[in-house]
Amino acid sequence: MEGERMASLTPDTPCSCDCFVSVPPASAIPAVIFAKNSDRPRDEVQEVVFVPAAMHAPGSRLQCTYIAVEQVSKTHAVILSRPSWLWGAEMGANEHGVCIGNEAVWTKEPVGEEEALLGMDLLRLALERGSSAQEALHVITGLLERYGQGGSCREDPMPFCYHNTFLLADRTEAWVLETAGQLWAAQRIREGARNISNQLSIGTDISDEHPKLRAHAQTQGWWGGQGTFDFAQVFSLTQQPVRMEAAKARFQVGQELLRQQQGRITAEVMMGILRNKESGICMDSGGFCTTASMVSILPRDPTQPCIHFLTATPDPSRSVFKPFIFGVGVAQAPKVLSPTFGAQDPAQTLPRFQTQVDRRHILYQGHQVALGLMESEQVPVCSSGGDGCGRGLDAARGSPAPGGLGPPRGCISPALPSPLPGRLPTVQTVRYGSKAVTRHHRVMHFERQKLMALTEYIPPKFAIDPRCLPPPPSPPQEVLSSGFQLMVTLCATEQNTG
């Protein structure tokens, strides 16, 4: 019987994700810090979607990925990182400072291929309806009880189904929610650091649970009914597949990385953990990889805004985390929206997923171009000061920067003439494995990040007193509603100027 439940777990099954949270005093600042790597099929595109708060008519229905559910009267504004073919999300946050990430998990409870709510649907529904981590948890468990979870979780004719675990955080605390079918157990984290990685991790420290959880385990013969009840031990598969054993190793490494930084955890530390390739946390193996990443800072002071950093591109070690803050006038950044295909979408037509479509958004395409240049070693040596310039692809193509500002300062390339007057050529040395960009205090163009990660910046010397030079031209004025939209616009500029 257990072998049948594991039938869908082939050696190439993409079943790896990692979520992290730090609650003071583990954090270096008075804030909860949340982070997630979403590991999905290599060619899958994740888009970043902003959905404003809304009011809904009584009795209205909401279409999720596969099924429709009853809509509530009011939904919160959310920012989501999601596979572009489905309705739900792999990770996201809402206007009240609630963040959620999910993980695939397989237990002794059978996984059904019948279409129901995906774990990613549950995640988005919880963000839209929950104003705290605990309230969002109750949203998920209530929907599980009513609609169940099931259906294929990837864009492929071969069904790929799993149950889910969730890490939920807000400004004050975090919760781990682990499910087995419609059953579940939850653990509250009031302080310290915690991570989850594609396996059951709640043992005897259960803060809340499904009312029939223990009775069901006893009926199935998994627990004798006496003594300590260990959720992970009772519901985990007896024979773990190879990929889940790998998840166990990642979970242990993640624990150790958090332990080493106890009391000093910041957003930069979390970004460094998400970029860790040696442990497999930054996944790049076989048919799948880390397709998107997210880090959030949730200050305990309610007067301070929460800041959410999202990549919208694969491989956090070669991507920039772009900031997003909820506020008045926030709007969707169009360059991270995938194209839509309406009724012709292979995810909507039956049978599903019989054809493939190109879902790449503008930023994703620019990211692929940049990676191709880097891998072919065609990116010019570049350094830059604190002037916020550094559009690597413009330099590589010899094209002017947007607004006619000319080449970036300090860039040296065969495609460009000498540096701007008053600047001497700079000297470059290689610095392997640098995380220089995570220590920068100003936003950086994603091309500059990649170049700075491979070069050591040595400031140029002024050949002429700067006071003798004309002032630099003013950049074109453009109204952007958020830091995230600004960063996306900068990152995607090459598609318009190339």
Side-chain angles (χ1 to χ4, degrees), residues 439-456:
R439 297 195 294 272
H440 259 261
H441 299 292
R442 299 182 64 181
V443 295
M444 298 180 67
H445 186 276
F446 85 120
E447 281 307 308
R448 166 175 288 177
Q449 171 195 294
K450 295 166 184 171
L451 293 168
M452 290 293 287
L454 299 174
T455 62
E456 178 181 0

Side-chain angles (χ1 to χ4, degrees), residues 264-315:
R264 303 189 303 274
I265 297 175
T266 62
E268 291 85 355
V269 168
M270 287 295 198
M271 291 177 190
I273 292 175
L274 296 185
R275 287 169 167 154
N276 190 302
K277 286 186 175 290
E278 293 79 7
S279 63
I281 291 172
C282 181
M283 182 62 61
D284 187 8
S285 174
F288 61 105
C289 69
T290 299
T291 56
S293 304
M294 172 179 168
V295 173
S296 294
I297 304 173
L298 314 175
R300 288 202 154 166
D301 182 353
T303 65
Q304 297 296 317
C306 298
I307 308 175
H308 311 285
F309 299 88
L310 304 101
T311 62
T313 52
D315 191 346

Side-chain angles (χ1 to χ4, degrees), residues 23 65 121 156 188 190 285 322 324:
V23 181
T65 301
D121 294 338
D156 192 277
R188 193 175 202 167
R190 297 175 186 250
S285 174
K322 307 157 194 67
F324 176 89

Side-chain angles (χ1 to χ4, degrees), residues 96-441:
H96 298 288
V98 179
C99 296
I100 310 179
N102 79 309
E103 310 267 339
V105 70
W106 292 266
T107 70
K108 292 177 181 176
E109 279 295 295
V111 175
E113 295 183 7
E114 181 179 352
E115 292 183 346
L117 288 175
L118 297 178
M120 293 169 279
D121 294 338
L122 291 166
L123 185 152
R124 176 173 174 176
L125 288 164
L127 287 174
E128 291 185 343
R129 302 178 181 192
S131 58
S132 69
Q134 188 173 20
E135 188 175 323
L137 182 149
H138 292 154
V139 170
I140 294 175
T141 56
L143 290 167
L144 268 179
E145 187 72 22
R146 183 168 182 179
Y147 298 103
Q149 58 180 322
S152 184
C153 299
R154 67 176 172 183
E155 193 177 12
D156 192 277
M158 180 68 67
F160 171 54
C161 308
Y162 51 75
H163 292 157
N164 293 266
T165 65
F166 302 87
L167 183 59
L168 309 92
D170 59 27
R171 292 176 181 266
T172 61
E173 63 181 10
W175 285 80
V176 174
L177 171 63
E178 298 183 340
T179 71
Q182 293 179 297
L183 304 172
W184 54 272
Q187 182 185 63
R188 193 175 202 167
I189 297 99
R190 297 175 186 250
E191 62 179 28
R194 183 73 154 83
N195 63 311
I196 58 175
S197 299
N198 301 114
Q199 60 177 339
L200 298 181
S201 59
I202 299 176
T204 59
D205 186 10
I206 300 174
S207 305
D208 198 2
E209 64 185 71
H210 190 284
K212 298 181 180 179
L213 179 70
R214 303 190 189 208
H216 180 79
Q218 190 171 2
T219 300
Q220 296 295 320
W222 303 334
W223 180 56
Q226 300 295 325
T228 303
F229 180 81
D230 186 310
F231 175 71
Q233 182 177 340
V234 170
F235 278 85
S236 292
L237 292 167
T238 306
Q239 296 180 344
Q240 297 279 5
V242 174
R243 295 311 297 265
M244 292 188 71
E245 287 296 335
K248 184 183 297 183
R250 286 198 336 275
F251 175 73
Q252 293 170 348
V253 172
Q255 275 187 320
E256 178 60 20
L257 291 173
L258 291 174
R259 187 196 64 79
Q260 292 172 3
Q261 298 293 334
Q262 281 280 350
R264 303 189 303 274
I265 297 175
T266 62
E268 291 85 355
V269 168
M270 287 295 198
M271 291 177 190
I273 292 175
L274 296 185
R275 287 169 167 154
N276 190 302
K277 286 186 175 290
E278 293 79 7
S279 63
I281 291 172
C282 181
M283 182 62 61
D284 187 8
S285 174
F288 61 105
C289 69
T290 299
T291 56
S293 304
M294 172 179 168
V295 173
S296 294
I297 304 173
L298 314 175
R300 288 202 154 166
D301 182 353
T303 65
Q304 297 296 317
C306 298
I307 308 175
H308 311 285
F309 299 88
L310 304 101
T311 62
T313 52
D315 191 346
S317 70
R318 308 177 84 175
S319 294
V320 65
F321 286 83
K322 307 157 194 67
F324 176 89
I325 300 175
F326 287 94
V328 178
V330 172
Q332 173 67 49
K335 292 181 175 66
V336 289
L337 275 184
S338 294
T340 57
F341 302 91
Q344 304 305 313
D345 194 312
Q348 303 297 325
T349 57
L350 298 176
R352 302 186 196 275
F353 313 127
Q354 299 303 301
T355 59
Q356 294 288 325
V357 292
D358 186 358
R359 301 187 187 274
R360 296 175 300 165
H361 50 69
I362 294 174
L363 181 60
Y364 188 98
Q365 294 175 27
H367 188 264
Q368 287 187 310
V369 171
L371 291 182
L373 290 173
M374 293 178 69
E375 291 170 359
S376 62
E377 299 182 349
Q378 294 178 11
V379 177
V381 174
C382 175
S383 69
S384 85
D387 53 14
C389 190
R391 296 174 177 85
L393 286 181
D394 287 338
R397 297 177 181 136
S399 60
L405 299 181
R409 293 187 180 183
C411 291
I412 303 175
S413 166
L416 294 174
S418 59
L420 292 179
R423 300 255 181 174
L424 294 176
T426 58
V427 179
Q428 301 295 338
T429 57
V430 175
R431 181 166 60 188
Y432 294 97
S434 169
K435 297 294 185 294
V437 68
T438 63
R439 297 195 294 272
H440 259 261
H441 299 292

